[in-house]
Amino acid sequence: MSEHSRDFIGLALLLAVFCSMTTARGQIRTAEALPHDYPGYHVLRLTERDADTRAFLIQHFKGSDASVIHADLDGGGHSDYAVLLKSDTSAAAKVVVLLCDAQSKCRSVFEQDITGYSEGAYLSRLPVGSRVAEAGSAEGEKESHPVTLTNTGIAVGTAE
């Protein structure tokens, strides 16, 4: 298992568990508002992915955006967001989780740098009831115990 694959598995577990336990609130309205609320960043576009990832996303994400998840991630009864963002001026990229309230006011509650592998990155939903665990590495690290999601989770994947 590559270092990036381990990072993605760990990030998916962290996001899934984090979103199942968090209830923070705050100030962004919709995914369309992100460029205004994250100056210098935009939602990662299909054209910014490598050729293999573009082909994978076109085949597996027909009619949906692999850079945005819109779902109730914290069980608060309101739609939240997970978004892949890319810098307008550099190679910097990150995944951001935004939890929203009834007035569609959202707050960033999680950010993770994905600069080294943004060209192959995509987001997918993990349905309620999914069991997630971080796999051990070839070096013999221990595997984590599976966790059953009580809310929709997020997986950050890579098209390798």
Side-chain angles (χ1 to χ4, degrees):
M1 180 180 296
S2 75
E3 180 179 335
H4 289 308
S5 295
R6 275 197 319 274
D7 289 347
F8 274 115
I9 291 168
L11 181 57
L13 175 63
L14 177 62
L15 285 173
V17 173
F18 177 80
C19 289
S20 289
M21 298 177 356
T22 305
T23 58
R25 300 282 178 244
Q27 71 240 69
I28 292 176
R29 294 152 306 287
T30 67
E32 295 77 32
L34 283 170
H36 304 289
D37 294 318
Y38 285 85
Y41 283 85
H42 60 272
V43 175
L44 185 64
R45 296 181 285 262
L46 182 63
T47 56
E48 295 174 299
R49 284 12 189 270
D50 61 43
D52 290 337
T53 301
R54 281 194 306 272
F56 173 83
L57 296 178
I58 289 168
Q59 179 181 0
H60 295 285
F61 286 84
K62 293 176 182 155
S64 64
D65 187 345
S67 293
V68 179
I69 297 284
H70 190 216
D72 184 2
L73 302 174
D74 66 352
H78 310 289
S79 291
D80 306 306
Y81 295 92
V83 185
L84 296 176
L85 297 177
K86 174 85 173 69
S87 171
D88 295 335
T89 59
S90 72
K94 58 186 169 181
V95 61
V96 175
V97 175
L98 306 159
L99 300 181
C100 307
D101 63 18
Q103 291 76 37
S104 296
K105 293 181 181 179
C106 305
R107 184 171 104 167
S108 175
V109 295
F110 179 85
E111 291 186 22
Q112 175 76 37
D113 184 284
I114 60 162
T115 300
Y117 35 90
S118 65
E119 289 184 353
Y122 64 91
L123 295 175
S124 60
R125 291 174 193 252
L126 297 174
V128 173
S130 295
R131 290 181 52 83
V132 295
E134 184 175 1
S137 71
E139 291 81 36
E141 295 175 8
K142 293 182 180 179
E143 292 185 15
S144 64
H145 294 287
V147 175
T148 302
L149 301 181
T150 57
N151 300 311
T152 301
I154 308 153
V156 180
T158 185
E160 289 185 27

